[in-house]
Amino acid sequence: MSDKETLLGMGFAPERIEWALRATKRAGLQPAMDHILENADKPVPEVGDEDVEEPVPEGAEAKSIKCSECGKVFRSQATAGFHAERTGHEEFEESTEEIKPLTEEEKKEKLAELREKLAAKRAAQSKENEKDQRANEMIRRKAGQDQGAIKEQMQAKELAKDAERKRQEKLEDQRARAAVKAQIEADKRERAEKAAREKAARDGAPMPVAAAPAAAARPAAGKSSDNPETRLQIRLHVGGAPLVKTFPSDNTLVDVAEFVASQNLAYTVDSVTFASTFPRKTFSRDEMRKTLKDNGLTPSAVLMANST
């Protein structure tokens, strides 16, 4: 196993191992370890920028550098400079005090201390990472909850719209059914009265007086009602559900024809003709230009729409 691999196995940072191997000119495992321990508090320099101790002036016996403010002794000027940056101390002096190499016991203690610091740093980083992960998870869940709430609100609105549409369709269907039922009853009465009249004519008996049907309560043609609106049920000869719509009473049958043509492609404005079932009547072209009031259709009526 190489010195580098051995130092990596001991837990030292790769960049500090490379620095130690360069500084000791790869003299062996022990010198590299000594360098790492002695420079543990120093930043790792860039390759080629390692600080070199300044030569001692001729005749001097300085063996170290001492901080005049705290009394700490350093092996090199680089180490003293790092101390100055970290503490802000500015007063240094040369010292004849020689820094003894670390004993094996001190090296082991220093190594244990470094490993403890490294483990504490990794534990703190792990806790910080866990904290960040929990915060990110909370943000993700909150975003998911907000999106879920928005989706539920949109679904609720769509359901409400659908329910209202179905309710309106049901009401329109009920109105149309009621109108058709009323028309069927009127047709039945008309057929019964006609049969009675024909029987009386055959027997030579007096003609029976027909009971005034509900539709007869409608004003005669040429007269108008005070109601400003006219509700029409329009039965199509092409089949399908009757058209039901309320028109202003001053609209003409031409306006009604335009509505029918817009709802069913089988009709055009010029080809639509209208007829009432009771009393039976087909409206002429001149009457098509008259208002619903003038044609006696106000306030409500049932029309048959034909295409010529």
Side-chain angles (χ1 to χ4, degrees), residues 186 189-197 206-214 216 278:
R189 288 195 297 270
E190 183 182 2
R191 288 195 294 271
E193 292 170 0
K194 181 178 179 181
R197 290 195 297 270
M207 296 292 289
V209 179
F278 190 86

Side-chain angles (χ1 to χ4, degrees), residues 218-225 291-298:
R218 187 172 64 231
K223 296 181 180 181
S224 63
S225 169
T291 66
L292 301 180
K293 290 180 182 180
D294 294 341
N295 280 312
L297 300 174
T298 303

Side-chain angles (χ1 to χ4, degrees), residues 2-304:
S2 66
D3 293 342
K4 182 176 181 180
E5 292 173 344
T6 301
L7 293 170
L8 286 172
M10 296 173 69
F12 293 116
E15 61 273 14
R16 291 194 173 274
I17 295 174
E18 290 293 341
W19 181 25
L21 293 174
R22 290 197 307 271
T24 60
K25 303 185 183 300
R26 302 187 183 275
L29 178 61
Q30 189 62 47
M33 185 184 300
D34 291 342
H35 184 278
I36 293 174
L37 296 176
E38 291 172 3
N39 297 277
D41 294 333
K42 293 175 57 177
V44 179
E46 296 293 335
V47 177
D49 293 339
E50 288 88 344
D51 291 316
V52 179
E53 295 184 11
E54 293 184 359
V56 179
E58 186 177 353
E61 297 182 357
K63 297 182 179 179
S64 60
I65 299 175
K66 183 178 180 180
C67 177
S68 302
E69 298 184 34
C70 67
K72 191 171 182 180
V73 180
F74 304 95
R75 184 184 302 275
S76 67
Q77 186 175 358
T79 308
F82 179 71
H83 173 76
E85 292 178 1
R86 187 176 60 179
T87 62
H89 295 173
E90 298 179 353
E91 299 296 330
F92 293 88
E93 60 182 346
E94 293 182 343
S95 173
T96 57
E97 182 179 349
E98 184 178 0
I99 300 176
K100 296 181 180 180
L102 295 176
T103 64
E104 292 297 327
E105 188 66 26
E106 289 174 336
K107 291 179 181 179
K108 290 180 180 180
E109 292 178 359
K110 189 67 173 179
L111 178 60
E113 181 183 350
L114 290 174
R115 287 178 173 173
E116 184 178 349
K117 289 182 179 179
L118 180 61
K121 183 177 180 181
R122 289 176 177 173
Q125 185 63 44
S126 178
K127 289 183 179 180
E128 189 67 23
N129 291 340
E130 291 178 0
K131 182 179 179 181
D132 292 342
Q133 289 176 357
R134 288 195 297 269
N136 292 336
E137 180 65 17
M138 291 179 64
I139 293 173
R140 187 189 65 78
R141 290 182 179 180
K142 182 65 169 58
Q145 291 173 356
D146 292 343
Q147 291 179 356
I150 294 173
K151 185 176 181 181
E152 289 178 0
Q153 291 175 1
M154 294 179 63
Q155 290 177 344
K157 289 181 181 180
E158 291 298 326
L159 289 174
K161 289 181 181 179
D162 189 58
E164 177 63 19
R165 179 180 57 79
K166 289 181 178 180
R167 189 181 72 84
Q168 291 294 336
E169 291 177 353
K170 185 176 181 180
L171 288 175
E172 292 294 334
D173 186 63
Q174 289 175 348
R175 291 170 183 166
R177 288 176 182 272
V180 171
K181 184 176 180 180
Q183 185 61 44
I184 291 174
E185 294 298 326
D187 292 344
K188 286 182 179 179
R189 288 195 297 270
E190 183 182 2
R191 288 195 294 271
E193 292 170 0
K194 181 178 179 181
R197 290 195 297 270
E198 290 176 351
K199 185 175 184 303
R202 289 195 301 271
D203 296 341
M207 296 292 289
V209 179
R218 187 172 64 231
K223 296 181 180 181
S224 63
S225 169
D226 293 334
N227 197 317
E229 294 183 340
T230 301
R231 185 176 183 276
L232 297 181
Q233 180 195 141
I234 306 167
R235 301 167 66 180
L236 309 177
H237 79 281
V238 296
L243 302 176
V244 179
K245 182 175 174 63
T246 299
F247 296 87
S249 296
D250 57 0
N251 275 183
T252 66
L253 281 175
V254 174
D255 295 323
V256 180
E258 290 178 351
F259 167 72
V260 172
S262 69
Q263 300 297 310
N264 195 302
L265 297 177
Y267 296 91
T268 62
V269 176
D270 296 332
S271 67
V272 178
T273 60
F274 294 109
S276 61
T277 55
F278 190 86
R280 289 187 177 277
K281 175 181 179 180
T282 299
F283 294 91
S284 66
R285 283 297 170 188
D286 290 337
E287 290 171 323
M288 289 286 289
R289 291 189 287 271
K290 292 183 179 180
T291 66
L292 301 180
K293 290 180 182 180
D294 294 341
N295 280 312
L297 300 174
T298 303
S300 64
V302 178
L303 298 176
M304 289 293 298

